[in-house]
Amino acid sequence: MRNRREFYISDDGIRIHAKLDFPENTCAEECLEESCKLPLMILIHGFTGDMEERHIVAVQRTANQVGFAVLRAEMYGHGMSGGAFCDHTLFKWMSNAMAVIDYARTLDFVSDLYLCGHSQGGLLTMLAGAMESDRIRALLPLSPASMIPQTAREGELLGVPFDPAAIPMEIDAGKSLLIRENYIRAAQMIDVDLAISRYKGPVLIVHGTGDESVPYHYSEEIAAKYADARLVPVPGDSHCYDFHLEQVTEAVRAFLLEMTGRKPD
Ligand code: FER
C-alpha cells in the first residue's frame, strides 16, 4: 500500500512488529525522503490485543484523517511481535515502548510525538509518557487499565484473587489467559501516581461508562490527578466500544485538531 510501511523494530533482539500509516494525501516516499513534516501518533493495543482490532484501526484512521502519521506497534507476546504471551510483563512493554519511541525519533519527518494506547496499552501510554515527558506532546490513554498495579498489590488480577504476599506461579483465568508470576511481580512495582505526577502535558482520556473489564471510575480518579487532563465518557459503552466507537473517534479527532491549532468543523 502506497501510504503504509510494515516492518520490525528491534528491542535488544526482540522483534516488535510495526505498521506506519500516512495520511491519504501524502505519500510514504515523500515523507520518508523529502523535507515533509507531520505529527506522529504511536498507537498501542491492550492485553491480548493487536494492531488490527476494530477500535485500534478506527483510531489510526481518524488520526490519519486529521493529518497525523500513525505508528502502530505490537508489544511483547502480542500480535506478530516476539515473545510468548505468558512471559509478557509491564516492564517488557515499557522497554518495548522506549524502543518504539527511539525509532520514531529517528524519523526526520516527525514534528511532534503523541502516544495513544488502549487499556493495558493505555496504562503503558501513561508510564511511557512519564518516562519520556520531554519528548511527548500529548497522551491519549483510552480506557486505561490504570488499576492493574493497585489490584496486583491487593491480590486480584483478571478477576482471580490471590495472596499478594505469596505470589502464585501463574494465574489461569481461562480462555487461554495465562499470566505468570513475573507479570504480577512487575505490576506490583509500578507507581501510577508517580507516572501521573511526572507528565504535565495535555491528556485525553476516553472511557465507556459500562466498561466491565476496567471500571469507568478509575479514569475519573486519574483525570483528577493529572495536571491537564480531560475525560470524555462514552455513555453505556463497553471496554472495546461495541456501541459508540464513533464517539471515541470524534473525541480523538477534536483533541488532535485542538493540539495542532485547528478547530473541529
Ligand atoms: C486485569 C484487568 C484488565 C488485568 C488486565 C486487564 C492482567 C487488561 C485489559 C486490557 O488490556 O484490555 O485484572 O490483569
Side-chain angles (χ1 to χ4, degrees):
M1 219 181 295
R2 184 173 165 268
N3 287 339
R4 174 173 294 166
R5 289 287 174 279
E6 180 175 7
F7 50 94
Y8 288 86
I9 298 165
S10 172
D11 177 11
D12 258 343
I14 293 291
R15 279 152 57 92
I16 301 173
H17 178 226
K19 284 186 184 174
L20 178 57
D21 284 278
F22 289 91
E24 281 226 338
N25 57 354
T26 59
C27 171
E29 274 79 25
E30 283 165 22
C31 281
L32 290 167
E33 281 154 34
E34 287 165 38
S35 60
C36 133
K37 284 283 179 195
L38 292 176
L40 176 85
M41 174 196 279
I42 294 171
L43 178 56
I44 313 287
H45 58 82
F47 183 90
T48 71
D50 63 60
M51 63 165 74
E52 305 301 344
E53 289 176 294
R54 171 177 166 269
H55 53 288
I56 298 296
V57 171
V59 171
Q60 170 241 309
R61 291 195 177 137
T62 300
N64 282 157
Q65 281 161 10
V66 293
F68 280 62
V70 180
L71 179 60
R72 285 175 291 160
E74 289 170 334
M75 300 290 97
Y76 188 105
H78 287 69
M80 287 163 61
S81 290
F85 174 79
C86 60
D87 291 331
H88 95 279
T89 72
L90 282 161
F91 288 171
K92 289 178 184 174
W93 277 34
M94 287 162 77
S95 173
N96 291 169
M98 286 196 287
V100 173
I101 292 168
D102 285 348
Y103 169 78
R105 283 172 47 79
T106 68
L107 298 169
D108 288 335
F109 73 82
V110 175
S111 55
D112 283 305
L113 266 182
Y114 291 65
L115 271 185
C116 179
H118 177 252
S119 196
Q120 183 165 287
L123 170 60
L124 182 67
T125 294
M126 296 166 65
L127 301 171
M131 289 191 291
E132 311 238 13
S133 61
D134 51 335
R135 294 173 165 176
I136 308 293
R137 170 79 175 85
L139 302 181
L140 297 85
L142 308 177
S143 309
S146 60
M147 75 304 171
I148 289 176
Q150 180 197 329
T151 68
R153 286 190 287 269
E154 289 169 358
E156 187 272 323
L157 284 170
L158 300 167
V160 179
F162 58 89
D163 180 349
I167 296 169
M169 278 174 63
E170 55 189 37
I171 290 179
D172 186 350
K175 298 185 203 154
S176 56
L177 286 184
L178 184 77
I179 52 174
R180 294 233 170 100
E181 60 180 308
N182 285 353
Y183 178 95
I184 306 169
R185 291 175 192 280
Q188 286 183 336
M189 286 301 296
I190 287 170
D191 188 338
V192 173
D193 283 344
L194 177 66
I196 292 172
S197 72
R198 289 179 66 82
Y199 191 79
K200 305 279 190 251
V203 180
L204 172 72
I205 304 165
V206 184
H207 206 137
T209 64
D211 190 334
E212 288 179 351
S213 172
V214 179
Y216 174 76
H217 72 86
Y218 289 113
S219 281
E220 289 181 317
E221 289 163 26
I222 62 168
K225 290 177 184 170
Y226 268 115
D228 180 12
R230 62 210 78 179
L231 169 61
V232 175
V234 185
D237 215 350
S238 61
H239 190 51
C240 294
Y241 323 111
D242 293 305
F243 308 110
H244 300 296
L245 186 55
E246 76 292 347
Q247 292 184 26
V248 179
T249 52
E250 184 46 39
V252 168
R253 197 177 83 90
F255 180 74
L256 296 180
L257 287 174
E258 188 190 323
M259 290 300 111
T260 49
R262 290 167 292 165
K263 288 252 180 307
D265 309 326

